[in-house]
Amino acid sequence: IDMPHNVAIIGAGSVGSTIASFLMWEGVFEEVLMVDIDMELCKGQVMDLSDASFLTDTAVRIGSFQDAANADIVIITAGAKQRKGETREKLLKRNVKILRAISNAMGTVSENTIVLLVANPVDILTQVFQEISGIPRTRVIGSGTFLDSMRLRTEISRRLDVAVSHVHACVVGMHGDCQVALWSNAQIAGVSVSEYGKLNGKDLKQIAEDTRDKAYKIIRAKGSTYYGIGACVAKLSRGIMQDRRGVFQLSVWSEKHGCYLSWPSLVGSKGVIKLIPLKLKNSEEQVLFLGGR
């Protein structure tokens, strides 16, 4: 019997529920499972989401950690939020504890399950979860700099008045303060972005900083960000489920750097197929190396 394609979202907060709504509209899965230790919140989100299910054939229900272990894709949004005055080390320790509890609760996952982490710091937590769970590296990925790359492309598209689908540019490295916009590889129809748009070093620096700081601006204004990441996860999920062999900027294991970091990767139904062999300028490589350390 053909099992229904399903996705389990661990963490029913604002990010998890927004991702669930995007995945319902995408219609790639027959079933979206919401998993959370806060059963009351989980119940509320499922009831609210199911009110919108008349627009789609995708069902939404409460799932268990055991259900998640057999899902096609597990999306982990659960993570501790930084407390006032808390160091990143302390926050990381709390998040490691949460990931260990999730891994223990799921137990052995199906050999085809792909795990996608969306909690921050995403590159580090993706590596931590892979090490805790022992799931092969090709099947444990993080959302990485996918959204940052989309923000970069959108900003270039806006400034140069070119359709975003024809802007090829990406952000790599450690998502956050150590990420790098790869201007050496950024192009429009084969022409470098700086040449096409007559942009100087100052312009490029400004665009990269605006891309990096956009999340902070959103958080200051409304507390957190979730629509952009919801759209990214929906697009990536479709690419995986339909084996589209798309290239996404994700947190992946890099042999060269000996750690997980965000890099353009070819992805299919079995996870990461290969990392795109981009050539970087020395200055770009240096920032990447520091972030990896």
Side-chain angles (χ1 to χ4, degrees):
I1 305 166
D2 267 0
M3 292 297 285
H5 288 305
N6 61 13
V7 57
I9 299 168
I10 298 177
S14 52
V15 175
S17 58
T18 304
I19 288 172
S21 68
F22 271 89
L23 291 174
M24 281 171 70
W25 317 145
E26 275 291 290
V28 179
F29 301 98
E30 277 93 342
E31 208 172 43
V32 174
L33 310 177
M34 299 296 289
V35 183
D36 201 297
I37 52 170
D38 184 342
M39 281 308 286
E40 206 50 38
L41 172 68
C42 205
K43 215 179 278 180
Q45 296 287 31
V46 167
M47 285 195 292
D48 197 7
L49 285 161
S50 63
D51 274 350
S53 62
F54 65 89
L55 286 176
T56 167
D57 294 327
T58 304
V60 58
R61 68 174 174 90
I62 294 172
S64 66
F65 284 96
Q66 287 72 35
D67 291 332
N70 294 304
D72 293 291
I73 300 178
V74 176
I75 298 164
I76 300 175
T77 71
K81 284 191 167 71
Q82 202 157 1
R83 292 168 181 157
K84 243 190 181 140
E86 183 178 35
T87 63
R88 289 192 68 159
E89 284 71 29
K90 275 193 175 156
L91 175 66
L92 186 60
K93 273 187 183 150
R94 288 200 296 133
N95 272 316
V96 169
K97 218 171 150 183
I98 291 168
L99 292 182
R100 186 164 277 123
I102 290 170
S103 181
N104 290 342
M106 284 204 300
T108 308
V109 304
S110 148
E111 59 179 25
N112 298 314
T113 298
I114 289 170
V115 179
L116 169 65
L117 278 99
V118 182
N120 279 318
V122 68
D123 304 282
I124 296 169
L125 293 185
T126 305
Q127 179 161 336
V128 166
F129 187 81
Q130 191 281 321
E131 288 169 358
I132 290 169
S133 67
I135 299 167
R137 287 167 177 162
T138 53
R139 293 198 285 117
V140 179
I141 55 181
S143 53
T145 51
F146 184 4
L147 177 54
D148 303 291
S149 297
M150 291 302 113
R151 284 175 177 149
L152 181 68
R153 289 177 195 178
T154 304
E155 185 55 25
I156 293 167
S157 148
R158 191 185 67 77
R159 283 186 183 226
L160 305 186
D161 207 15
V162 177
V164 74
S165 55
H166 293 288
V167 178
H168 299 282
C170 65
V171 175
V172 301
M174 288 283 168
H175 164 71
D177 297 337
C178 290
Q179 64 189 38
V180 189
L182 289 190
W183 293 116
S184 58
N185 286 277
Q187 48 171 260
I188 291 165
V191 180
S192 81
V193 162
S194 50
E195 198 182 321
Y196 182 95
K198 311 263 188 296
L199 301 172
N200 59 31
K202 198 179 158 197
D203 297 325
L204 300 181
K205 189 168 180 273
Q206 188 60 56
I207 294 171
E209 282 174 7
D210 288 348
T211 300
R212 187 195 64 205
D213 298 338
K214 190 172 183 186
Y216 297 127
K217 285 181 182 168
I218 298 170
I219 290 164
R220 264 202 309 273
K222 57 173 276 190
S224 61
T225 71
Y226 29 88
Y227 295 119
I229 194 64
C232 288
V233 170
K235 190 172 172 66
L236 174 61
S237 299
R238 180 178 282 278
I240 290 170
M241 293 307 296
Q242 297 178 344
D243 197 26
R244 288 193 169 188
R245 308 290 168 118
V247 174
F248 301 93
Q249 293 73 31
L250 305 172
S251 308
V252 290
W253 176 260
S254 165
E255 282 297 339
K256 182 182 174 183
H257 297 92
C259 65
Y260 266 81
L261 49 77
S262 299
W263 196 264
S265 312
L266 187 67
V267 178
S269 59
K270 290 181 171 60
V272 178
I273 299 161
K274 71 176 208 174
L275 275 58
I276 303 300
L278 290 179
K279 284 190 168 47
L280 271 57
K281 284 197 325 211
N282 277 346
S283 55
E284 293 169 337
E285 189 63 72
Q286 274 172 335
V287 180
L288 201 63
F289 180 73
L290 286 172
R293 265 177 59 193

Short mmCIF file of all heavy atoms in Angstrom, two decimals, residues 18-75:
data_model
loop_
_atom_site.label_atom_id
_atom_site.label_comp_id
_atom_site.label_asym_id
_atom_site.label_seq_id
_atom_site.Cartn_x
_atom_site.Cartn_y
_atom_site.Cartn_z
N THR A 18 3.39 28.79 10.78
CA THR A 18 3.43 29.49 9.49
C THR A 18 3.95 28.54 8.40
O THR A 18 3.41 28.50 7.30
CB THR A 18 4.32 30.75 9.56
OG1 THR A 18 3.84 31.59 10.61
CG2 THR A 18 4.31 31.52 8.26
N ILE A 19 4.99 27.77 8.73
CA ILE A 19 5.51 26.77 7.79
C ILE A 19 4.39 25.77 7.44
O ILE A 19 4.19 25.42 6.28
CB ILE A 19 6.75 26.05 8.36
CG1 ILE A 19 7.95 27.01 8.36
CG2 ILE A 19 7.08 24.78 7.57
CD1 ILE A 19 9.19 26.49 9.09
N ALA A 20 3.63 25.36 8.46
CA ALA A 20 2.52 24.41 8.23
C ALA A 20 1.51 24.99 7.23
O ALA A 20 1.07 24.29 6.32
CB ALA A 20 1.83 24.08 9.56
N SER A 21 1.19 26.28 7.39
CA SER A 21 0.20 26.88 6.49
C SER A 21 0.72 26.94 5.05
O SER A 21 0.01 26.62 4.11
CB SER A 21 -0.21 28.27 6.98
OG SER A 21 0.84 29.19 6.87
N PHE A 22 2.01 27.30 4.88
CA PHE A 22 2.61 27.33 3.54
C PHE A 22 2.59 25.93 2.91
O PHE A 22 2.30 25.77 1.72
CB PHE A 22 4.05 27.84 3.59
CG PHE A 22 4.18 29.33 3.47
CD1 PHE A 22 4.13 30.15 4.60
CD2 PHE A 22 4.36 29.95 2.25
CE1 PHE A 22 4.25 31.53 4.50
CE2 PHE A 22 4.47 31.33 2.13
CZ PHE A 22 4.42 32.13 3.27
N LEU A 23 2.91 24.91 3.72
CA LEU A 23 2.96 23.53 3.19
C LEU A 23 1.56 23.02 2.84
O LEU A 23 1.40 22.23 1.91
CB LEU A 23 3.64 22.60 4.20
CG LEU A 23 5.14 22.84 4.39
CD1 LEU A 23 5.69 21.96 5.50
CD2 LEU A 23 5.91 22.60 3.10
N MET A 24 0.55 23.49 3.56
CA MET A 24 -0.83 23.13 3.20
C MET A 24 -1.18 23.68 1.82
O MET A 24 -1.71 22.98 0.97
CB MET A 24 -1.81 23.67 4.25
CG MET A 24 -1.87 22.83 5.51
SD MET A 24 -2.85 23.65 6.80
CE MET A 24 -4.51 23.52 6.10
N TRP A 25 -0.83 24.95 1.57
CA TRP A 25 -1.18 25.57 0.26
C TRP A 25 -0.36 24.94 -0.86
O TRP A 25 -0.83 24.85 -1.99
CB TRP A 25 -0.97 27.08 0.25
CG TRP A 25 -1.43 27.85 1.44
CD1 TRP A 25 -0.83 28.96 1.98
CD2 TRP A 25 -2.58 27.61 2.27
NE1 TRP A 25 -1.53 29.39 3.08
CE2 TRP A 25 -2.61 28.58 3.29
CE3 TRP A 25 -3.60 26.65 2.25
CZ2 TRP A 25 -3.59 28.64 4.27
CZ3 TRP A 25 -4.57 26.69 3.24
CH2 TRP A 25 -4.57 27.67 4.22
N GLU A 26 0.87 24.53 -0.56
CA GLU A 26 1.72 23.93 -1.60
C GLU A 26 1.13 22.61 -2.11
O GLU A 26 1.30 22.25 -3.26
CB GLU A 26 3.13 23.65 -1.05
CG GLU A 26 4.07 24.83 -1.11
CD GLU A 26 4.48 25.20 -2.53
OE1 GLU A 26 5.21 24.45 -3.18
OE2 GLU A 26 4.05 26.27 -2.98
N GLY A 27 0.48 21.87 -1.20
CA GLY A 27 -0.16 20.61 -1.60
C GLY A 27 0.78 19.49 -1.99
O GLY A 27 0.41 18.58 -2.72
N VAL A 28 2.02 19.54 -1.51
CA VAL A 28 2.99 18.49 -1.83
C VAL A 28 2.75 17.26 -0.95
O VAL A 28 3.02 16.14 -1.34
CB VAL A 28 4.44 19.01 -1.62
CG1 VAL A 28 5.46 17.93 -1.92
CG2 VAL A 28 4.69 20.21 -2.49
N PHE A 29 2.25 17.49 0.26
CA PHE A 29 2.03 16.40 1.22
C PHE A 29 0.53 16.15 1.39
O PHE A 29 -0.27 17.08 1.34
CB PHE A 29 2.62 16.77 2.59
CG PHE A 29 4.09 17.05 2.56
CD1 PHE A 29 4.57 18.35 2.49
CD2 PHE A 29 5.01 16.01 2.61
CE1 PHE A 29 5.92 18.62 2.45
CE2 PHE A 29 6.37 16.26 2.58
CZ PHE A 29 6.83 17.56 2.50
N GLU A 30 0.19 14.88 1.62
CA GLU A 30 -1.20 14.57 1.95
C GLU A 30 -1.52 14.99 3.38
O GLU A 30 -2.65 15.26 3.72
CB GLU A 30 -1.47 13.07 1.80
CG GLU A 30 -1.77 12.61 0.39
CD GLU A 30 -0.53 12.13 -0.35
OE1 GLU A 30 0.61 12.45 0.06
OE2 GLU A 30 -0.69 11.46 -1.36
N GLU A 31 -0.45 15.04 4.20
CA GLU A 31 -0.67 15.24 5.63
C GLU A 31 0.43 16.09 6.24
O GLU A 31 1.62 15.87 5.97
CB GLU A 31 -0.65 13.85 6.28
CG GLU A 31 -1.45 13.71 7.53
CD GLU A 31 -1.51 12.24 7.97
OE1 GLU A 31 -0.48 11.53 7.92
OE2 GLU A 31 -2.60 11.83 8.38
N VAL A 32 0.03 17.07 7.05
CA VAL A 32 0.98 17.87 7.83
C VAL A 32 0.75 17.52 9.30
O VAL A 32 -0.37 17.64 9.81
CB VAL A 32 0.77 19.39 7.61
CG1 VAL A 32 1.67 20.20 8.54
CG2 VAL A 32 1.06 19.78 6.16
N LEU A 33 1.81 17.06 9.98
CA LEU A 33 1.70 16.69 11.40
C LEU A 33 2.36 17.77 12.25
O LEU A 33 3.49 18.17 11.99
CB LEU A 33 2.40 15.36 11.66
CG LEU A 33 2.05 14.18 10.75
CD1 LEU A 33 2.89 12.96 11.11
CD2 LEU A 33 0.58 13.84 10.86
N MET A 34 1.64 18.24 13.26
CA MET A 34 2.21 19.21 14.20
C MET A 34 2.60 18.47 15.48
O MET A 34 1.79 17.73 16.05
CB MET A 34 1.21 20.30 14.55
CG MET A 34 0.73 21.14 13.38
SD MET A 34 2.03 22.11 12.59
CE MET A 34 2.37 23.36 13.83
N VAL A 35 3.85 18.64 15.91
CA VAL A 35 4.35 17.94 17.09
C VAL A 35 4.91 18.97 18.07
O VAL A 35 5.72 19.82 17.68
CB VAL A 35 5.47 16.93 16.71
CG1 VAL A 35 5.94 16.14 17.93
CG2 VAL A 35 5.02 16.00 15.59
N ASP A 36 4.46 18.89 19.33
CA ASP A 36 4.97 19.83 20.33
C ASP A 36 4.71 19.24 21.71
O ASP A 36 3.72 18.53 21.91
CB ASP A 36 4.28 21.19 20.21
CG ASP A 36 5.09 22.32 20.84
OD1 ASP A 36 5.31 22.29 22.07
OD2 ASP A 36 5.51 23.24 20.11
N ILE A 37 5.60 19.54 22.67
CA ILE A 37 5.35 19.05 24.04
C ILE A 37 4.23 19.85 24.70
O ILE A 37 3.59 19.38 25.62
CB ILE A 37 6.64 19.07 24.93
CG1 ILE A 37 7.32 20.44 24.89
CG2 ILE A 37 7.61 17.97 24.49
CD1 ILE A 37 8.42 20.59 25.93
N ASP A 38 3.97 21.06 24.19
CA ASP A 38 2.85 21.86 24.67
C ASP A 38 1.60 21.43 23.90
O ASP A 38 1.28 21.97 22.83
CB ASP A 38 3.15 23.35 24.46
CG ASP A 38 2.07 24.27 25.02
OD1 ASP A 38 0.94 23.79 25.26
OD2 ASP A 38 2.35 25.47 25.21
N MET A 39 0.88 20.44 24.43
CA MET A 39 -0.25 19.85 23.72
C MET A 39 -1.38 20.85 23.49
O MET A 39 -2.06 20.81 22.47
CB MET A 39 -0.79 18.63 24.48
CG MET A 39 0.03 17.37 24.27
SD MET A 39 0.32 16.96 22.54
CE MET A 39 -1.28 16.37 22.06
N GLU A 40 -1.56 21.76 24.43
CA GLU A 40 -2.64 22.74 24.31
C GLU A 40 -2.39 23.66 23.11
O GLU A 40 -3.29 23.91 22.30
CB GLU A 40 -2.74 23.55 25.62
CG GLU A 40 -4.11 24.12 25.92
CD GLU A 40 -5.28 23.14 25.82
OE1 GLU A 40 -5.15 21.96 26.21
OE2 GLU A 40 -6.33 23.59 25.32
N LEU A 41 -1.15 24.16 23.01
CA LEU A 41 -0.76 25.02 21.88
C LEU A 41 -0.92 24.24 20.57
O LEU A 41 -1.47 24.74 19.59
CB LEU A 41 0.69 25.49 22.04
CG LEU A 41 1.30 26.24 20.85
CD1 LEU A 41 0.63 27.59 20.64
CD2 LEU A 41 2.81 26.42 21.02
N CYS A 42 -0.43 23.01 20.56
CA CYS A 42 -0.48 22.16 19.37
C CYS A 42 -1.93 21.96 18.92
O CYS A 42 -2.25 22.09 17.73
CB CYS A 42 0.17 20.81 19.69
SG CYS A 42 0.83 19.99 18.25
N LYS A 43 -2.79 21.67 19.87
CA LYS A 43 -4.22 21.45 19.59
C LYS A 43 -4.82 22.72 18.97
O LYS A 43 -5.55 22.66 17.98
CB LYS A 43 -4.93 21.13 20.91
CG LYS A 43 -6.06 20.12 20.78
CD LYS A 43 -6.71 19.85 22.14
CE LYS A 43 -5.92 18.83 22.94
NZ LYS A 43 -6.54 18.56 24.26
N GLY A 44 -4.51 23.86 19.57
CA GLY A 44 -5.02 25.14 19.07
C GLY A 44 -4.58 25.43 17.65
O GLY A 44 -5.38 25.85 16.80
N GLN A 45 -3.29 25.21 17.37
CA GLN A 45 -2.76 25.46 16.02
C GLN A 45 -3.43 24.54 14.99
O GLN A 45 -3.79 24.98 13.90
CB GLN A 45 -1.23 25.24 15.98
CG GLN A 45 -0.43 26.21 16.84
CD GLN A 45 -0.35 27.62 16.29
OE1 GLN A 45 -1.26 28.10 15.63
NE2 GLN A 45 0.74 28.31 16.61
N VAL A 46 -3.59 23.27 15.35
CA VAL A 46 -4.21 22.31 14.43
C VAL A 46 -5.66 22.69 14.15
O VAL A 46 -6.11 22.65 13.00
CB VAL A 46 -4.09 20.86 14.97
CG1 VAL A 46 -4.99 19.90 14.19
CG2 VAL A 46 -2.64 20.39 14.88
N MET A 47 -6.40 23.09 15.19
CA MET A 47 -7.80 23.50 14.99
C MET A 47 -7.86 24.72 14.07
O MET A 47 -8.69 24.79 13.16
CB MET A 47 -8.46 23.81 16.34
CG MET A 47 -8.81 22.57 17.14
SD MET A 47 -9.96 22.90 18.51
CE MET A 47 -8.95 23.89 19.62
N ASP A 48 -6.98 25.69 14.32
CA ASP A 48 -6.95 26.92 13.53
C ASP A 48 -6.59 26.61 12.08
O ASP A 48 -7.25 27.07 11.14
CB ASP A 48 -5.95 27.89 14.16
CG ASP A 48 -6.13 29.33 13.68
OD1 ASP A 48 -7.12 29.59 12.97
OD2 ASP A 48 -5.29 30.18 14.02
N LEU A 49 -5.54 25.81 11.87
CA LEU A 49 -5.11 25.44 10.52
C LEU A 49 -6.18 24.64 9.79
O LEU A 49 -6.40 24.82 8.59
CB LEU A 49 -3.80 24.65 10.57
CG LEU A 49 -2.53 25.45 10.85
CD1 LEU A 49 -1.40 24.55 11.34
CD2 LEU A 49 -2.07 26.23 9.61
N SER A 50 -6.86 23.75 10.52
CA SER A 50 -7.86 22.90 9.85
C SER A 50 -9.07 23.72 9.38
O SER A 50 -9.78 23.33 8.47
CB SER A 50 -8.29 21.75 10.74
OG SER A 50 -8.91 22.24 11.91
N ASP A 51 -9.26 24.90 9.97
CA ASP A 51 -10.31 25.81 9.50
C ASP A 51 -10.04 26.30 8.07
O ASP A 51 -10.95 26.74 7.38
CB ASP A 51 -10.43 27.03 10.42
CG ASP A 51 -11.33 26.77 11.62
OD1 ASP A 51 -12.01 25.73 11.63
OD2 ASP A 51 -11.34 27.60 12.54
N ALA A 52 -8.77 26.24 7.67
CA ALA A 52 -8.40 26.70 6.33
C ALA A 52 -8.24 25.54 5.36
O ALA A 52 -7.90 25.74 4.20
CB ALA A 52 -7.10 27.50 6.40
N SER A 53 -8.51 24.31 5.82
CA SER A 53 -8.22 23.14 4.99
C SER A 53 -9.19 22.96 3.82
O SER A 53 -8.94 22.17 2.93
CB SER A 53 -8.19 21.87 5.85
OG SER A 53 -9.45 21.67 6.43
N PHE A 54 -10.31 23.75 3.80
CA PHE A 54 -11.23 23.63 2.66
C PHE A 54 -10.60 24.17 1.37
O PHE A 54 -11.09 23.92 0.28
CB PHE A 54 -12.56 24.36 2.96
CG PHE A 54 -12.42 25.85 3.14
CD1 PHE A 54 -12.51 26.70 2.05
CD2 PHE A 54 -12.20 26.39 4.40
CE1 PHE A 54 -12.37 28.07 2.21
CE2 PHE A 54 -12.07 27.77 4.57
CZ PHE A 54 -12.15 28.61 3.47
N LEU A 55 -9.48 24.90 1.50
CA LEU A 55 -8.79 25.43 0.32
C LEU A 55 -7.79 24.44 -0.26
O LEU A 55 -7.17 24.72 -1.27
CB LEU A 55 -8.04 26.72 0.69
CG LEU A 55 -8.88 27.98 0.92
CD1 LEU A 55 -7.98 29.13 1.37
CD2 LEU A 55 -9.61 28.39 -0.36
N THR A 56 -7.60 23.30 0.39
CA THR A 56 -6.52 22.39 -0.02
C THR A 56 -6.94 20.94 0.26
O THR A 56 -7.88 20.70 1.01
CB THR A 56 -5.22 22.74 0.77
OG1 THR A 56 -4.29 21.68 0.60
CG2 THR A 56 -5.47 22.91 2.25
N ASP A 57 -6.22 19.99 -0.33
CA ASP A 57 -6.47 18.57 -0.05
C ASP A 57 -5.55 18.04 1.05
O ASP A 57 -5.56 16.85 1.35
CB ASP A 57 -6.26 17.73 -1.32
CG ASP A 57 -7.29 18.06 -2.38
OD1 ASP A 57 -8.44 18.39 -2.00
OD2 ASP A 57 -6.97 18.01 -3.59
N THR A 58 -4.74 18.92 1.61
CA THR A 58 -3.79 18.49 2.65
C THR A 58 -4.46 18.51 4.02
O THR A 58 -5.02 19.53 4.42
CB THR A 58 -2.55 19.42 2.65
OG1 THR A 58 -1.97 19.42 1.35
CG2 THR A 58 -1.51 18.94 3.66
N ALA A 59 -4.37 17.39 4.72
CA ALA A 59 -4.95 17.30 6.07
C ALA A 59 -3.89 17.73 7.08
O ALA A 59 -2.68 17.58 6.85
CB ALA A 59 -5.37 15.87 6.35
N VAL A 60 -4.33 18.28 8.20
CA VAL A 60 -3.40 18.66 9.27
C VAL A 60 -3.88 18.01 10.56
O VAL A 60 -5.08 18.00 10.84
CB VAL A 60 -3.27 20.20 9.39
CG1 VAL A 60 -4.60 20.86 9.65
CG2 VAL A 60 -2.26 20.59 10.47
N ARG A 61 -2.97 17.42 11.31
CA ARG A 61 -3.36 16.78 12.57
C ARG A 61 -2.21 16.82 13.57
O ARG A 61 -1.06 17.10 13.20
CB ARG A 61 -3.80 15.33 12.34
CG ARG A 61 -2.70 14.37 11.90
CD ARG A 61 -3.23 12.94 11.86
NE ARG A 61 -2.26 12.00 11.32
CZ ARG A 61 -1.36 11.32 12.05
NH1 ARG A 61 -1.28 11.54 13.36
NH2 ARG A 61 -0.53 10.46 11.49
N ILE A 62 -2.52 16.52 14.83
CA ILE A 62 -1.49 16.42 15.86
C ILE A 62 -0.75 15.11 15.63
O ILE A 62 -1.36 14.08 15.37
CB ILE A 62 -2.12 16.45 17.27
CG1 ILE A 62 -2.78 17.80 17.54
CG2 ILE A 62 -1.08 16.13 18.34
CD1 ILE A 62 -3.58 17.87 18.83
N GLY A 63 0.57 15.15 15.71
CA GLY A 63 1.38 13.94 15.55
C GLY A 63 2.24 13.71 16.78
O GLY A 63 2.39 14.59 17.63
N SER A 64 2.78 12.50 16.87
CA SER A 64 3.69 12.17 17.98
C SER A 64 5.13 12.20 17.46
O SER A 64 5.36 12.27 16.24
CB SER A 64 3.37 10.76 18.49
OG SER A 64 3.67 9.81 17.47
N PHE A 65 6.08 12.09 18.37
CA PHE A 65 7.49 12.03 17.95
C PHE A 65 7.75 10.75 17.16
O PHE A 65 8.57 10.72 16.25
CB PHE A 65 8.42 12.13 19.17
CG PHE A 65 8.51 13.53 19.72
CD1 PHE A 65 7.73 13.94 20.78
CD2 PHE A 65 9.37 14.45 19.15
CE1 PHE A 65 7.80 15.24 21.28
CE2 PHE A 65 9.47 15.76 19.62
CZ PHE A 65 8.68 16.15 20.69
N GLN A 66 7.01 9.68 17.49
CA GLN A 66 7.15 8.42 16.74
C GLN A 66 6.63 8.60 15.31
O GLN A 66 7.23 8.08 14.36
CB GLN A 66 6.37 7.29 17.44
CG GLN A 66 7.02 6.77 18.73
CD GLN A 66 6.91 7.77 19.89
OE1 GLN A 66 5.91 8.48 20.01
NE2 GLN A 66 7.94 7.84 20.73
N ASP A 67 5.54 9.35 15.15
CA ASP A 67 5.03 9.64 13.80
C ASP A 67 6.10 10.39 13.01
O ASP A 67 6.33 10.13 11.83
CB ASP A 67 3.78 10.55 13.86
CG ASP A 67 2.56 9.84 14.43
OD1 ASP A 67 2.47 8.61 14.29
OD2 ASP A 67 1.70 10.53 15.02
N ALA A 68 6.74 11.35 13.69
CA ALA A 68 7.77 12.16 13.03
C ALA A 68 8.91 11.29 12.51
O ALA A 68 9.43 11.52 11.42
CB ALA A 68 8.32 13.21 14.00
N ALA A 69 9.26 10.24 13.27
CA ALA A 69 10.37 9.35 12.89
C ALA A 69 10.10 8.64 11.56
O ALA A 69 11.03 8.18 10.90
CB ALA A 69 10.63 8.33 13.99
N ASN A 70 8.82 8.56 11.16
CA ASN A 70 8.47 7.89 9.90
C ASN A 70 8.02 8.84 8.81
O ASN A 70 7.59 8.40 7.74
CB ASN A 70 7.37 6.85 10.18
CG ASN A 70 7.87 5.73 11.07
OD1 ASN A 70 8.87 5.08 10.75
ND2 ASN A 70 7.23 5.53 12.21
N ALA A 71 8.11 10.14 9.06
CA ALA A 71 7.68 11.13 8.06
C ALA A 71 8.70 11.23 6.93
O ALA A 71 9.86 10.85 7.09
CB ALA A 71 7.50 12.49 8.74
N ASP A 72 8.26 11.75 5.78
CA ASP A 72 9.19 11.97 4.66
C ASP A 72 10.20 13.06 5.02
O ASP A 72 11.39 12.93 4.76
CB ASP A 72 8.42 12.40 3.41
CG ASP A 72 7.52 11.29 2.88
OD1 ASP A 72 8.07 10.31 2.37
OD2 ASP A 72 6.29 11.40 3.01
N ILE A 73 9.69 14.13 5.62
CA ILE A 73 10.55 15.24 6.05
C ILE A 73 10.16 15.62 7.48
O ILE A 73 8.98 15.69 7.80
CB ILE A 73 10.41 16.47 5.12
CG1 ILE A 73 10.79 16.12 3.68
CG2 ILE A 73 11.29 17.62 5.62
CD1 ILE A 73 10.63 17.28 2.69
N VAL A 74 11.16 15.84 8.32
CA VAL A 74 10.93 16.36 9.67
C VAL A 74 11.52 17.77 9.71
O VAL A 74 12.70 17.96 9.37
CB VAL A 74 11.63 15.49 10.74
CG1 VAL A 74 11.46 16.11 12.12
CG2 VAL A 74 11.07 14.07 10.73
N ILE A 75 10.72 18.73 10.08
CA ILE A 75 11.18 20.12 10.15
C ILE A 75 11.23 20.52 11.62
O ILE A 75 10.21 20.50 12.32
CB ILE A 75 10.24 21.06 9.37
CG1 ILE A 75 10.23 20.67 7.88
CG2 ILE A 75 10.69 22.52 9.52
CD1 ILE A 75 9.08 21.26 7.09
#
